[in-house]
Amino acid sequence: MAALLLTGSVFAQKTAMLKLSAPSTLEQKALDWFQDNSLGDVITLDQLESDDFTPANYNVLWVMVDRTNMAVGDSNLPDGLKLKAQKVLKNYVEQGGNLLLTNHATQLAVSIGRCPYAPGIYGSGNGDANPDEWGIQPVIGNVEGQIYDYTTHPIYNGLESNDAYGHPTFALIGDGHKFDHNCMWDLNLVDYGLTENPNKVADFEDKTNAVVLGTWQHVVDYCCAGIVEFMPTTTYKGTVLACGLAAFDWGQCDYNGNFKAFAKNMLDYLKSMTTGIVSETLKVNIEKPAGIYNLQGQCVDEGYKGITIVNGKKVKH
């Protein structure tokens, strides 16, 4: 007895980046890099609401907002993005489109109803000089309880690590001006109501069908979530990847090779996602137990902690 296996999308594997009506300097730097490297199409707000913007035409959309002196809350995002997200992006993800939300745009995960918790760590000041190296800690809870190690996750492919904080991190920016524009989840907020048992990361993940892939470079506990993958659900067939770390600061995008490699990795990861389209050519035998594989294609056992692929579908352990 056999069953059809969900495999790679038959949709056009095209990526788009949204251009706002008056991009900030930081947003324009990212747009220029996206265009200069021919990573996809830049689309306008009008195109976002056209009939051409569908998962069939674009299976990945990158929305970046990074503004100084902008008040917290999705209602304060420019160009009425909250309403456009509710009108267009919600439907897009429900139909299988994948979103990359970076910087202040992580708030759109709330706008589309994919996450009930608004980012509680927020900054939009003018920034200042700072000599430290900032980056990503891909190991969650590495000094207490359950450890979640995403060092080998595809979004970190090829990044160089160092031990500037006493443990391996992926540095993105260094000595110089930093805007310190965080827009990420504070798991200790009372309003979230997360439990300590087994830990707040696990509770956040369970309640949102998400995986916390990264946090501040110096953090070794469960306090906050800077990079979150909101995985597909029965309602939302697409993936939402949100990066709200201040270290993702396009003012220092040339600090080292990690920065732009990380940006491209996130886009490539979403571009590789399946859409739920069934392949008529590949089948699996469901009479035998399915193998369990990690995201690097290696067979693992049931005790593996992290994201696995079982019968062509992503499962979080």
Side-chain angles (χ1 to χ4, degrees), residues 41-57:
D41 296 342
V42 172
I43 64 174
T44 65
L45 291 159
D46 288 340
Q47 290 173 290
L48 187 67
E49 298 192 66
S50 73
D51 292 337
D52 291 333
F53 180 69
T54 67
N57 291 331

Side-chain angles (χ1 to χ4, degrees), residues 229-273:
E229 179 182 1
F230 297 98
M231 298 168 65
T233 69
T234 54
T235 300
Y236 297 88
K237 296 178 175 60
T239 295
V240 178
L241 182 60
C243 176
L245 290 171
F248 195 62
D249 179 344
W250 280 85
Q252 285 203 44
C253 61
D254 293 315
Y255 172 66
N256 64 22
N258 281 354
F259 192 102
K260 293 174 181 176
F262 173 61
K264 189 173 186 301
N265 283 349
M266 289 192 291
L267 292 169
D268 288 345
Y269 179 62
L270 290 175
K271 193 173 180 180
S272 73
M273 294 292 171

Side-chain angles (χ1 to χ4, degrees), residues 65 67 69-86 104-112 118-119 122 183:
V65 179
R67 304 284 171 106
N69 301 317
M70 183 174 65
V72 66
D74 57 352
S75 296
N76 296 307
L77 291 169
D79 295 329
L81 268 180
K82 176 181 179 178
L83 294 178
K84 287 181 172 60
Q86 292 172 334
H104 296 131
T106 59
Q107 296 172 106
L108 293 176
V110 179
S111 308
I112 67 173
Y122 183 87
C183 192

Side-chain angles (χ1 to χ4, degrees), residues 5-162:
L5 173 65
L6 293 179
T7 61
S9 168
V10 298
F11 287 168
Q13 299 292 301
K14 291 180 66 177
T15 300
M17 184 174 184
L18 182 64
K19 181 176 182 177
L20 301 176
S21 60
S24 69
T25 301
L26 296 173
E27 292 160 10
Q28 189 61 55
K29 288 190 74 169
L31 282 161
D32 290 344
W33 170 79
F34 185 84
Q35 290 182 292
D36 291 345
N37 290 275
S38 303
L39 297 178
D41 296 342
V42 172
I43 64 174
T44 65
L45 291 159
D46 288 340
Q47 290 173 290
L48 187 67
E49 298 192 66
S50 73
D51 292 337
D52 291 333
F53 180 69
T54 67
N57 291 331
Y58 297 102
N59 75 324
V60 179
L61 175 68
W62 179 9
V63 183
M64 173 186 173
V65 179
D66 197 346
R67 304 284 171 106
T68 57
N69 301 317
M70 183 174 65
V72 66
D74 57 352
S75 296
N76 296 307
L77 291 169
D79 295 329
L81 268 180
K82 176 181 179 178
L83 294 178
K84 287 181 172 60
Q86 292 172 334
K87 180 180 179 181
V88 179
L89 298 184
K90 181 176 186 292
N91 183 61
Y92 172 73
V93 180
E94 287 178 343
Q95 292 183 1
N98 303 299
L99 278 181
L100 174 60
L101 304 177
T102 68
N103 310 93
H104 296 131
T106 59
Q107 296 172 106
L108 293 176
V110 179
S111 308
I112 67 173
R114 186 58 193 82
C115 179
Y117 311 113
I121 300 174
Y122 183 87
S124 65
N126 292 315
D128 207 344
N130 178 282
D132 300 327
E133 195 171 59
W134 289 3
I136 304 165
Q137 159 67 295
V139 180
I140 312 300
N142 69 0
V143 296
E144 57 177 277
Q146 177 64 58
I147 296 173
Y148 307 91
D149 187 348
Y150 293 105
T151 305
T152 59
H153 191 280
I155 65 172
Y156 303 129
N157 279 349
L159 303 192
E160 293 187 5
S161 67
N162 64 39

